[in-house]
Amino acid sequence: MTAAAQEPVLGPVAARYAWWLGLPAERTADRDAPPDQVWAMPVVLRMEKSTPPLRTPLLEAAAAAALAVCLHEDARPGGPWYEPLHTWTSGHIRKVARRARGAHWEAVQKLPGVTVEVEGAEARALVPCRVGDLPREVSRLQISGSDLPADDPGPAPDDRPVLLLNPEVTMSAGKAAAQVGHATMLLAALLDPIELAAWGTRHYRCAVRVADREEWAHATAALARPHEAWEEHGLVAVRDAGFTEVEPGTVTVVARRA
């Protein structure tokens, strides 16, 4: 196995976003790829018609599931998930959230991935693939209609990372699920091995909250100097590529380490 093949799945994520660490330059191999050749991680949200989940627990489940796939034992170099995951993280980190219920939800449980449940809400993140190669069980699921009303989750616990959503941007639950999944991956790529292992013992649980405007202003001001924001405040930003719902470059999430 070559040195490049031994790179952790999240290595390209750190290389792209944490440029201040002196890591290799950005790699975006799929920038000009045809639409059906683009790689994406499907994130399936369980949304039963009679018992819809609460928005915040569903987002927290999606955030943990996306990272759990990347850090699964099968995602290690030489494992069966490594090649598709590393190919995906070496390009744009795209996720597409879809909703499922009933038999369709049960069908996706058979595909390679990880399901996470938070307070009765469930999300399953799947091993990435080319959009044109999506399994039938996934391609038949709808992307639209994945919105849920705002809820009131209360104060965030202080024993886990917090993912602050931009209070000035409206996102569907599906869009927000993809964004918080980006955030947990970025956090994990920057944490030291001891911190990451400790987070793993808590199944990568995090708290998702909509920031108040003052909190958001302080966080985004700190991020003007990303190295200091991370080293001094444990903050890192997710900036959207602008493919859906928001303008390119929009900061959708500010993640804060535990």
Side-chain angles (χ1 to χ4, degrees):
M1 186 177 294
T2 66
Q6 296 177 24
E7 179 182 43
V9 158
L10 293 178
V13 179
R16 180 174 303 112
Y17 294 99
W19 50 266
W20 66 84
L21 297 178
L23 294 169
E26 177 179 11
R27 286 167 289 178
T28 52
D30 70 346
R31 182 183 296 277
D32 300 315
D36 65 344
Q37 296 299 305
V38 169
W39 284 72
M41 171 185 276
V43 179
V44 184
L45 310 176
R46 186 175 190 180
M47 301 181 72
E48 301 290 343
K49 182 178 289 188
S50 59
T51 56
L54 291 175
R55 182 182 176 98
T56 297
L58 185 64
L59 296 182
E60 292 177 352
L67 178 56
V69 169
C70 297
L71 297 178
H72 194 276
E73 60 181 13
D74 286 345
R76 297 171 183 166
W81 297 0
Y82 177 80
E83 289 297 334
L85 277 162
H86 190 263
T87 298
W88 173 61
T89 58
S90 295
H92 287 298
I93 311 301
R94 296 179 181 175
K95 298 183 181 71
V96 179
R98 298 171 183 262
R99 58 188 176 92
R101 61 174 182 259
H104 287 178
W105 170 254
E106 295 304 323
V108 299
Q109 303 307 302
K110 299 175 183 178
L111 301 174
V114 176
T115 296
V116 172
E117 182 270 330
V118 176
E119 298 177 17
E122 293 180 274
R124 184 170 182 82
L126 303 175
V127 174
C129 65
R130 289 186 180 89
V131 172
D133 296 333
L134 279 172
R136 167 70 176 158
E137 295 91 336
V138 178
S139 63
R140 67 186 178 185
L141 302 177
Q142 291 188 353
I143 298 174
S144 62
S146 64
D147 206 10
L148 292 166
D151 57 347
D152 184 10
D158 59 8
D159 64 344
R160 64 197 63 178
V162 178
L163 313 181
L164 298 172
L165 297 174
N166 188 334
E168 300 173 353
V169 171
T170 299
M171 294 185 285
S172 67
K175 177 68 172 181
Q179 299 302 296
V180 295
H182 297 343
T184 51
M185 288 176 59
L186 185 49
L187 274 178
L190 300 182
L191 290 175
D192 67 45
I194 294 175
E195 287 179 292
L196 186 56
W199 194 12
T201 65
R202 301 192 296 274
H203 307 290
Y204 308 113
R205 286 291 303 274
C206 56
V208 175
R209 298 292 186 272
V210 177
D212 63 47
R213 292 184 182 276
E214 182 178 0
E215 183 178 32
W216 186 256
H218 286 160
T220 52
L223 285 160
R225 299 185 178 184
H227 184 209
E228 293 177 12
W230 176 252
E231 293 297 332
E232 297 178 13
H233 308 290
L235 298 176
V236 67
V238 175
R239 289 178 172 83
D240 192 66
F243 294 111
T244 60
E245 296 192 24
V246 302
E247 292 297 317
T250 300
V251 177
T252 54
V253 184
V254 172
R256 185 174 67 224
R257 73 203 299 179

